[in-house]
Amino acid sequence: MTTSPARPLLKEHSMTLGYLLLFAVLSFSVENFFSSANIVGLLLSVAQIGMVACTMMFCLASRDFDLSVGSTIAFAGVLGAIVLERSGSVALAVGGGLLAGALIGAGNGVLIAYLRVNALIATLATMLMVRGLAFIASQGQAVGIADERFFAFGDTVLLGLPLPVWMTGVCFIVFGVLLNHTVFGRNSLAIGGNPEAARLAGVRVERLRVWIFLLQGAVAALAGLILSARITSGQPNAATGFELDVISACVLGGVSLQGGKARIFGVVIGVLIMGTVENVMNLLNVDAFYQYLVRGLILLAAVLLDQLKSRHA
């Protein structure tokens, strides 16, 4: 029995074709969905998720995950706002936020790689501690931003698209190249496939895992600084539940929870699916309570899809 040559291709790009079909149906059935203003708004709404999904992809591909990204976003935004308020320097504010995120990520990596703490427990503890630090640093209040130079991160428009959208595109390109065309990417997938075999092959597994989490923290901090620029304040309660949206987008995009498998283009599609569903629910004025239900169902569907693919493989 011969297999059609189109069948593997169809299987490989089924999620992309499904999204294109969904997009076409929504364009004709939902009022204002295909308007230029809404498409730009859709891309802007997924900018932060897209950035963090690029590095979460590496965490999942290496058989780890990070639940602390939402708290890191909030803390970086608060810290950046505080530093900006006290120093008046945008460079110090951005640098301080990025450094804090990198240190948080590296701390997660050390706990998981060297101290052998389970990734769930380590990043859950970090999530709670970092969120607490955000509330302590801000005294539980939003930290206002008045410097217009800082707003450039959130409202600068280039060729009709906001700067965060361009930055997300750059992240997809950079981390796509890193995944597919560098030793770093190949070793990350090797760790996820079989960490002991990777170690025997000469991969410095522990150090690489620390670097992956460091990148995760730094990119989450960048997303937090951009978010604070967009909303003109550092909010200690920002990005609550953000990590689940990011993981859902990655798994929908074909990143395996079992490790060893990831595609950057699939992550792009997963991010767009998450953003499109939320965008349509907002256009249709769906109650926020039902939106939580739908997001939970998407996460469950993504995990079940990953399980089915793993069993089939």
Side-chain angles (χ1 to χ4, degrees), residues 10 48 50 60 62 88 90 160 169 194 206 208 210 223 249 276 304:
L10 183 64
Q48 277 77 41
L60 294 174
S62 60
V90 174
N194 191 325
E206 287 77 15
L208 183 60
V210 172
T276 300
L304 290 175

Side-chain angles (χ1 to χ4, degrees), residues 203-222:
V203 178
R204 303 180 73 170
V205 174
E206 287 77 15
R207 189 174 72 171
L208 183 60
R209 292 172 82 185
V210 172
W211 273 107
I212 290 172
F213 276 97
L214 187 149
L215 284 172
Q216 174 79 91
V219 172
L222 176 62

Side-chain angles (χ1 to χ4, degrees), residues 8-169:
L9 189 65
L10 183 64
K11 181 181 177 182
E12 183 73 15
H13 299 284
S14 59
M15 192 63 70
T16 303
L17 295 173
Y19 177 71
L20 291 175
L21 178 61
L22 173 67
F23 189 89
V25 170
L26 293 175
S27 298
F28 287 105
S29 61
V30 178
E31 187 178 0
N32 296 324
F33 175 77
F34 196 59
S35 65
S36 58
N38 186 64
I39 297 301
V40 171
L42 168 61
L43 294 176
L44 186 59
S45 70
V46 300
Q48 277 77 41
I49 292 178
M51 287 179 193
V52 181
C54 290
T55 44
M56 185 67 79
M57 172 185 69
F58 279 91
C59 283
L60 294 174
S62 60
R63 210 182 286 187
D64 286 315
F65 54 88
D66 188 355
L67 297 179
S68 67
V69 289
S71 297
T72 303
I73 286 173
F75 181 69
V78 167
L79 182 63
I82 291 173
V83 172
L84 181 63
E85 181 182 49
R86 296 182 180 178
S87 69
S89 170
V90 174
L92 280 177
V94 173
L98 292 177
L99 179 61
L103 290 174
I104 292 167
N108 279 332
V110 170
L111 285 172
I112 294 166
Y114 287 102
L115 300 181
R116 309 294 183 186
V117 180
N118 181 273
L120 172 65
I121 302 302
T123 58
L124 181 60
T126 307
M127 177 184 75
L128 297 173
M129 290 188 292
V130 173
R131 181 73 68 177
L133 287 174
F135 278 103
I136 291 169
S138 64
Q139 297 182 343
Q141 303 293 324
V143 182
I145 299 173
D147 194 323
E148 293 187 359
R149 296 172 299 166
F150 194 79
F151 297 157
F153 284 110
D155 60 14
T156 299
V157 177
L158 298 173
L159 301 177
L161 292 175
L163 183 59
V165 176
W166 288 109
M167 295 179 73
T168 303

